[in-house]
Structure formats: structure tokens, C-alpha cells
Amino acid sequence: MSQNRLGEEIDWTPPAPPPPASPPPAAPPRTRRIGSLEVLAALLVLLVIFRGWLGGLVDGERLQTWTTVFVSVLVQAVPFLVFGVALSAVIAVFVPRSFWAKALPRHPALAVPAAGLAGVILPGCECGSVPIAGSLIRRGVTPAAALAFLLAAPAINPIVLAATAVAFPGKPEMVVARGVASLIVAVAMGWLWLRIGKPEWIRLPHRPDVDGESKAHAFWAAVRHDVMHAGGYLVLGAAAAATINVVVPASWLQRLAENPILSVLALAVLAVLLSICSEADAFVAASLSQFSLTSRLVFLVVGPMVDLKLIAMQTGVFGRRFVVRFAPTTFVAAILVGTAAGLVLL
């Protein structure tokens, strides 16, 4: 009880003290989940343990051929895949978004040929250009420009052009024709995507959120994600290419070479099925001496842009809706432009 100024008694109860603060909830125990790297390591250990038994399974000639082609495709492609993934991670982590706004023309129609010409300075393979193109799109580059780079880089970089010159000695026009035709296809496909392409056709896979992490941690997280994601599709593509090499009889090629139209189509399809790395495809094309130079040029233009391993990898990076539209259109464009370039320059 207390009194106010008038001497009246009033009831007053002191406020109850605040309840004690509850302790913070305990953090859930961190569980160690088995990831893709652990699974891959376990498979490699099993392969080493059972190598003798597995070797007995591939004693057959056709199985040995399949194994040789499968391993050859992987050996050719994996180093460039790792290079492309590493460069993709560098672009994603260390290169600010504002850089691409300054490096490429603002107008998308001008950015497409600029991105295509950028492939000249990047010595890489088609396996590396796929994750790089995906990273460029993530960093705000217009998809049309990124796709032009995707198609141009494996075909017009100095290493590929030098390999073509060595494979076709005394025929510099073959090098010129390959570079010109490949660049035209890349730019034309970029402009075509700019005209009719839709954003919903491209579905990039979700990357782990690395915002706020250190640069080194973010870099290795991006590398690990892209290697395991794109590498799995590369293995599927290599297996498909090896199967085709075993199934298709060599005698069919000799019959097709006698028809000028069918020879072009045959080598275009063969480039898709063989899935040879762009640094080595010129030597394969040179060995197909029964075919005309024009048909072999089409082989060199189609291969770095559309093949089984590329289709598989592009499915993993860009999605199925993209591949079912982009791959067939690129295949037709490469045949038409390659044939025209061969008729004019060879």
C-alpha cells in the first residue's frame, strides 16, 4: 500500500522481474555425409583391388576396342575439362560482374562476335568451354555471347589451328577454311539465339552458395561442384562414343566416300559419334584420305561443336530443353557452312 499526494491510499504492486534468459539452443550435431568425391575414391580403390578379375572380362577383341576408345576419349578430354572448370571457378569467384560489362560491347549483337573472337586467345578443348560458358552466363554475360564463345573457342584457338596445319602439311587453306567456317557458325548461332532464344530454355544447375566464404574456399567449392557434375556426363558421352566405334563397321565408310553428298553427311555424323577432342581430330580427318577435303572440313567443323560427349555435358550444364534445340540446329549450320567454305576455299 502507498499514498498519493492527496493522502489517499492506493494499491501498488511492484512489477515482476523479467524471466531469466533461456540458454541458446544447442547446435545440431554435425554429421559427416558421404559425398561424390568419397564415392569416386572408393570406386578407384575397388578397381585397383579387382583389376585382375576385371581384366579377364575384357579379353575379347571388341571389348578391348571399346575399352581403348573409352579410355582414349577420357584421357583426351579430362585435362581440358579440369582446365575449363578451374577457369570457370576463377571467373565465378575472382572476376567481378562489372568486368564483363566493360570487356564486351553493351549491344548484344556486337557482344556475340566479340565473344566468338575471344576464343582465339583461349587454348582449350570443347570439354573446357562448356563449364566456362555456363560460368559466363552466371556472371551476367548475355547467353548469345556465351554460346558463341562455347562454339568458337574449341575450333579457332591457336593449338587447334596449329594441329590442323601439322595434320595437313602443304595445305594452309585447310587451316583458313576451318577457322573461318567455325567462326561463322559460332557467330551465326549466337545471333540466332539472340533472335529466337528464350531464357527458360537454359536451366543452369544450382551451385552451392559460397557468398561470404573466403576466396579459396569458394574457388574449391565451385571446382568440386563442376568437376563432379560435368565429369559424370563426360563419362556417359565417352561410353556412348566407344560403343558406336565398336558397332559401326569400317566398310560402310568406304562405300559412303564414293558419293560426294553422302560423304559430307557421313563424316558429319561420324564426327558426332566419335567424339574426338578438337586438338586431335585433325589427325583423324587426315587419315580419312578416301574422303574429299570438303567432307573432311565438315568433320572438323562439326566435331568441336556437336558430339556425344558435348551433348551429354551440355545437358548437365544447360538442361535438356536447351540441348534438344541447340545441338540439332548447330549440327545443320555446321554442315551448311562447312560445305560452303570447302567449295569456296578448298
Side-chain angles (χ1 to χ4, degrees), residues 48-131:
V48 173
I49 295 175
F50 297 102
R51 63 184 183 275
W53 178 73
L54 293 175
L57 297 179
V58 294
D59 282 342
E61 182 179 351
R62 294 171 69 86
L63 285 177
Q64 287 183 348
T65 301
W66 188 96
T67 305
T68 301
V69 175
F70 175 74
V71 173
S72 298
V73 172
L74 289 183
V75 168
Q76 289 178 349
V78 166
F80 296 100
L81 171 63
V82 174
F83 172 78
V85 165
L87 185 57
S88 172
V90 170
I91 293 172
V93 176
F94 296 99
V95 179
R97 293 179 180 271
S98 59
F99 171 81
W100 302 110
K102 300 175 182 178
L104 294 176
R106 292 186 176 182
H107 198 287
L110 298 178
V112 168
L117 289 172
V120 177
I121 62 176
L122 180 63
C125 171
E126 58 268 27
C127 300
S129 65
V130 174

Side-chain angles (χ1 to χ4, degrees), residues 164-175 293 346:
T164 306
V166 173
F168 292 89
K171 292 183 174 62
E173 64 274 12
M174 195 71 172
V175 180
L293 284 178
L346 300 180

Side-chain angles (χ1 to χ4, degrees), residues 68-234:
T68 301
V69 175
F70 175 74
V71 173
S72 298
V73 172
L74 289 183
V75 168
Q76 289 178 349
V78 166
F80 296 100
L81 171 63
V82 174
F83 172 78
V85 165
L87 185 57
S88 172
V90 170
I91 293 172
V93 176
F94 296 99
V95 179
R97 293 179 180 271
S98 59
F99 171 81
W100 302 110
K102 300 175 182 178
L104 294 176
R106 292 186 176 182
H107 198 287
L110 298 178
V112 168
L117 289 172
V120 177
I121 62 176
L122 180 63
C125 171
E126 58 268 27
C127 300
S129 65
V130 174
I132 293 175
S135 184
L136 290 175
I137 296 176
R138 283 191 178 94
R139 304 308 289 176
V141 175
T142 175
L147 296 178
F149 173 84
L150 166 71
L151 297 178
I156 67 174
N157 71 70
I159 293 180
V160 171
L161 296 180
T164 306
V166 173
F168 292 89
K171 292 183 174 62
E173 64 274 12
M174 195 71 172
V175 180
V176 175
R178 179 176 193 178
V180 170
S182 300
L183 183 60
I184 290 176
V185 174
V187 174
M189 286 302 300
W191 282 337
L192 181 63
W193 183 270
L194 197 63
R195 180 75 176 177
I196 65 174
K198 297 181 180 180
E200 59 267 23
W201 290 350
I202 296 179
R203 296 179 60 88
L204 297 175
H206 174 70
R207 264 183 176 168
D209 188 8
V210 294
D211 291 339
E213 302 285 352
S214 65
K215 295 290 186 181
H217 182 276
F219 172 81
W220 288 114
V223 167
R224 173 173 173 170
H225 174 272
D226 285 354
V227 164
M228 301 310 299
H229 196 85
Y233 284 93
L234 173 60

